[in-house]
Amino acid sequence: MTTSYIAEIETRVAGIPCIIGVIEYSSTAGSYSYNAASDWDYYGHTDCDWEVCDSRGRPAPWLARKVTDKITREIEQEIAEYFN
């Protein structure tokens, strides 16, 4: 099965060049209204689904295991910058 990505972003994970294949991305701005239905509606939210690929664009589970919480935040920031 071939995954089709809506974006491919070149980056590094643990110093190793790789590609982040973005499968889904959505972002909703916050309303900052006291009448917002939930905190997600008030502050807004971003939802993205991605996977780590090698430099040729093939999924790389061995490299994905090196992804820490800090790296996840950095990757998600790169994805947000790409789409905004």
Side-chain angles (χ1 to χ4, degrees), residues 13 50 52 63-69 71-72 75:
V13 169
W50 50 272
V52 179
L63 188 52
R65 287 192 291 273
K66 296 181 181 293
V67 174
T68 63
D69 290 340
I71 294 171
T72 297
I75 289 171

Side-chain angles (χ1 to χ4, degrees), residues 41-57:
D41 293 326
Y42 183 84
Y43 292 109
H45 65 280
T46 299
D47 187 32
C48 61
D49 189 20
W50 50 272
E51 66 182 346
V52 179
C53 300
D54 63 17
S55 58
R56 292 184 182 179

Side-chain angles (χ1 to χ4, degrees), residues 6-75:
I6 59 173
E8 294 182 2
I9 301 170
E10 293 182 14
T11 191
R12 290 180 176 267
V13 169
I16 301 168
C18 64
I19 295 173
I20 300 301
V22 182
I23 301 165
E24 291 182 47
Y25 178 84
S26 68
S27 182
T28 304
S31 67
Y32 299 100
S33 167
Y34 290 110
N35 297 324
S38 71
D39 59 334
W40 282 34
D41 293 326
Y42 183 84
Y43 292 109
H45 65 280
T46 299
D47 187 32
C48 61
D49 189 20
W50 50 272
E51 66 182 346
V52 179
C53 300
D54 63 17
S55 58
R56 292 184 182 179
R58 297 176 298 208
W62 63 272
L63 188 52
R65 287 192 291 273
K66 296 181 181 293
V67 174
T68 63
D69 290 340
K70 180 182 178 204
I71 294 171
T72 297
R73 286 189 301 273
E74 291 169 356
I75 289 171

